[in-house]
Amino acid sequence: MSVFDQVEKNLIERGYTVKIFATGAEAAAYLDKEIDNLTVGIGGSATVRDIGLYELLEKHNQVIWHWKQEPGPARIAAMNTDVYLCSANALAESGEMVNIDGAGNRVAATLFGHKKVYFLIGKNKLVPSFHQAVDRARNVAAPKRAQQLNAKTPCAVKADKCYDCKSPGRVCRGMVTLWGPMMGSEAEVILIEEDYGL
């Protein structure tokens, strides 16, 4: 039995394709076979980084990632790729995915413009309810990301929760909930039975 059994069922009912992998390495190997000779955009994702997916895909795809290239142009170019890869800040058992973003490129790319979007989600992102998913995104993932970026925000300094601050360095400027794949775009959720990302 997998920790993902219930959410897999709910994601499928919402219209997603779902694959479950025991390890990040297995997920990366699967995506390396699935994504071939395409243009690939990647959002800010520690999961993608930590499973080594960029290095695999760049051997046989044109891969655009603002963590590896000039950030401004790469964020824009990644919006016009065949496929897009990212994670989620939280995934509810009921199937809602919640993402918070500072620049907006990651959440925007999950909403429009790609033939297919892949969401790579470790088991640490799974929570029982939609309200807990929002809470996790705001009060766990966003403060940790602000800390990583050395942001001068209350959440980064205190590392405990979102203060809904008005700081210029605020990294959580928009939040998106996905209830299902957007019309006109395929979406596949890659669930990994290991902890990845914030």
Side-chain angles (χ1 to χ4, degrees):
M1 185 168 172
S2 168
V3 68
F4 292 124
D5 285 346
Q6 185 60 48
V7 74
E8 177 188 23
K9 176 180 176 291
N10 290 331
L11 286 167
I12 290 169
E13 286 178 354
R14 289 174 179 272
Y16 292 101
T17 300
V18 181
K19 297 281 191 293
I20 301 175
F21 297 94
T23 68
E26 291 173 8
Y30 165 75
L31 289 166
D32 188 36
K33 290 179 183 172
E34 286 289 303
I35 302 169
D36 184 49
N37 198 29
L38 297 171
T39 56
V40 180
I42 303 176
S45 173
T47 304
V48 169
R49 179 195 65 206
D50 293 346
I51 67 173
L53 191 53
Y54 174 84
E55 290 77 12
L56 293 172
L57 293 178
E58 72 168 342
K59 294 175 184 173
H60 55 102
N61 296 279
Q62 180 188 355
V63 183
I64 300 164
W65 194 11
H66 67 280
W67 285 10
K68 298 288 186 178
Q69 293 133 9
E70 185 66 33
R75 282 186 177 106
I76 293 167
M79 297 295 292
N80 296 306
T81 55
D82 297 316
V83 299
Y84 195 79
L85 306 171
C86 65
S87 189
N89 295 128
L91 171 63
E93 285 275 356
S94 45
E96 299 95 344
M97 279 186 275
V98 178
N99 265 318
I100 287 178
D101 210 349
N105 59 299
R106 184 170 57 108
V107 295
T110 65
L111 297 175
F112 184 76
H114 300 282
K115 293 176 185 171
K116 189 162 186 178
V117 178
Y118 291 91
F119 296 92
L120 291 75
I121 304 174
K123 67 180 176 65
N124 53 310
K125 308 285 186 76
L126 185 63
V127 295
S129 71
F130 169 64
H131 294 293
Q132 287 167 298
V134 172
D135 182 71
R136 186 190 192 286
R138 288 193 72 188
N139 295 305
V140 176
K144 286 182 180 179
R145 183 66 180 135
Q147 273 193 309
Q148 283 182 341
L149 295 171
N150 296 312
K152 306 299 182 219
T153 59
C155 71
V157 173
K158 297 179 183 180
D160 60 349
K161 66 175 185 174
C162 174
Y163 288 84
D164 194 21
C165 71
K166 308 303 181 278
S167 303
R170 181 174 177 160
V171 300
C172 54
R173 293 176 177 263
M175 181 170 60
V176 167
T177 298
L178 290 172
W179 288 284
M182 303 306 289
M183 290 188 292
S185 177
E186 289 183 65
E188 185 166 334
V189 182
I190 308 296
L191 300 171
I192 305 170
E193 293 180 325
E194 294 178 325
D195 290 351
Y196 280 102
L198 300 177

